[in-house]
Amino acid sequence: MKINKVMAVMSSALLLSVTCTKEKQGIALYEGYYSYKTSGSVEVEKTLIESSEKSEDTLALLAENGQMNILKNGDDKLIITMNAIGGDVVVFDAEVIDNNLIISEFSRLVKIEDGSRTVSFNCKVSGSGKKYDNVIILDLNYSGSASTTLYNYTIKSSAVKCVAKVNEQ
């Protein structure tokens, strides 16, 4: 009989703790310090400078990893910093709509491989993301152009992902 009472009390306590747990929502869902990695590819149109001959190609971004900080910026906005290991620092704005992270368009220099050459593109970046447990997955959209001594490049489409995992304290 005592065991049944103890089990009933423990079950009630467990049920109460589960129903009282509040899931993070909105900005609080994303605020924090993360480690990130970005990779993907872009479809480009290449124009040979000497002959104006055009071709299309799929080129890979140089993978980037580092520290990402997502910080509250006012009541309903976020500021995101990405500090790449051995690379650049990027700062941009975002907001949360229906628990989805929406990235405001920003400009940055992106390095993309074309065979044995690394080409620096002036890009506009935008995108969105969603949080799953302790990981954020961002779908990023890149547009922009670049020039080398051989080619002019224009990005036609992109398939870029950024995965950010919460740093354990």
Side-chain angles (χ1 to χ4, degrees):
M1 189 69 171
K2 273 189 168 184
I3 293 176
N4 287 340
K5 285 183 182 180
V6 170
M7 290 299 287
V9 169
M10 288 176 61
S11 296
S12 296
L14 179 61
L15 182 61
L16 184 61
S17 71
V18 169
T19 58
C20 290
T21 303
K22 186 176 179 183
E23 296 265 336
K24 289 183 178 180
Q25 298 288 315
I27 288 176
L29 178 63
Y30 290 95
E31 277 185 290
Y33 303 96
Y34 299 81
S35 296
Y36 78 91
K37 183 167 187 167
T38 301
S39 64
S41 63
V42 293
E43 296 283 331
V44 298
E45 180 180 86
K46 293 168 46 172
T47 305
L48 193 58
I49 291 174
E50 285 186 10
S51 67
S52 297
E53 180 182 326
K54 294 183 184 224
S55 63
E56 292 194 5
D57 204 353
T58 301
L59 304 177
L61 272 71
L62 289 178
E64 177 181 276
N65 57 14
Q67 175 67 32
M68 177 188 292
N69 301 323
I70 302 180
L71 309 166
K72 188 174 179 179
N73 185 18
D75 289 336
D76 60 351
K77 301 284 183 190
L78 293 167
I79 189 164
I80 300 176
T81 66
M82 294 173 72
N83 185 3
I85 295 173
D88 298 331
V89 173
V90 180
V91 179
F92 53 93
D93 296 317
E95 61 185 321
V96 178
I97 299 173
D98 295 329
N99 283 337
N100 293 307
L101 186 66
I102 308 300
I103 298 169
S104 301
E105 185 176 84
F106 64 97
S107 298
R108 72 169 296 190
L109 201 58
V110 176
K111 294 181 180 173
I112 299 175
E113 295 178 320
D114 184 9
S116 61
R117 292 182 300 274
T118 299
V119 182
S120 294
F121 280 72
N122 291 311
C123 286
K124 298 279 186 191
V125 182
S126 61
S128 63
K130 190 156 180 71
K131 189 164 185 185
Y132 303 91
D133 192 27
N134 65 347
V135 174
I136 298 171
I137 300 175
L138 299 173
D139 289 306
L140 301 173
N141 304 309
Y142 284 48
S143 62
S145 60
S147 293
T148 66
T149 56
L150 294 175
Y151 293 101
N152 289 324
Y153 297 83
T154 303
I155 296 175
K156 296 297 183 184
S157 66
S158 63
V160 181
K161 298 280 188 195
C162 177
V163 177
K165 185 172 188 272
V166 171
N167 295 334
E168 301 299 326
Q169 306 267 337

